[in-house]
Amino acid sequence: VTLIMETELRVLDELNIDVGLYQNEFNKMLASENMDEIWSYIYEISDRACDRRQYANTTSNLEIGNNILEYINKNYNDPNLALKELAQIFDMSVSSLSKLFKEVTGINYYDYLCRIRMEQAKELLKDSKNDIGKVASEVGYENEYSFKRAFKRYEGIGPSDYIYKIAEDDSK
């Protein structure tokens, strides 16, 4: 069963689908030892991969998706970077852009944008010269409160605790 799921996860990864959530869910199911539930989950993942394979990753979708990703990666620190703005830039409807983005990356736009911003924020927070408000604005948040809330949701701890943890780890 685990070998089948490992193969499924490799296929999903090749389809540019973030496999972390699927792996975690599968591990929980293994712990429960409910074989009917495990096989049902494997079937569901197979079905998802087959559906995705039918229409995703066409050359034009990949090209447009890569252009969108490139734009986001260059402009993630713009607090006004929203699906509506991207849709206008790429001459698409918001729903079409959202669907294409999910097809190409495997995650939704806002999760991707948050991931980029938080990874950059973590790097900036490692420098003790940067205060939280400055980091918030540098990664695209209009205010420190929104940044703190997003950081805690993404990392499980607030930015102040993260800074403390880094300092503690560095002193070891």
Side-chain angles (χ1 to χ4, degrees), residues 122-139:
K122 289 185 332 188
E123 289 302 312
L124 293 171
L125 289 170
K126 289 178 182 176
D127 184 353
S128 60
K129 296 176 194 142
N130 291 327
D131 72 0
I132 294 171
K134 181 180 177 187
V135 170
S137 66
E138 284 189 36
V139 297

Side-chain angles (χ1 to χ4, degrees), residues 8-58:
E8 294 278 352
L9 293 173
R10 274 197 309 274
V11 169
L12 292 176
D13 189 50
E14 288 174 12
L15 292 171
N16 295 320
I17 296 174
D18 187 14
V19 297
L21 295 173
Y22 297 109
Q23 180 66 56
N24 292 338
E25 189 65 27
F26 183 69
N27 290 340
K28 289 177 191 173
M29 288 183 184
L30 278 179
S32 76
E33 298 182 0
N34 181 337
M35 290 308 290
D36 288 338
E37 192 176 299
I38 291 169
W39 282 112
S40 177
Y41 190 67
I42 288 174
Y43 176 78
E44 178 185 329
I45 299 303
S46 298
D47 195 41
R48 180 162 299 183
C50 291
D51 286 347
R52 167 80 185 236
R53 190 72 187 145
Q54 290 178 47
Y55 59 87
N57 295 336
T58 63

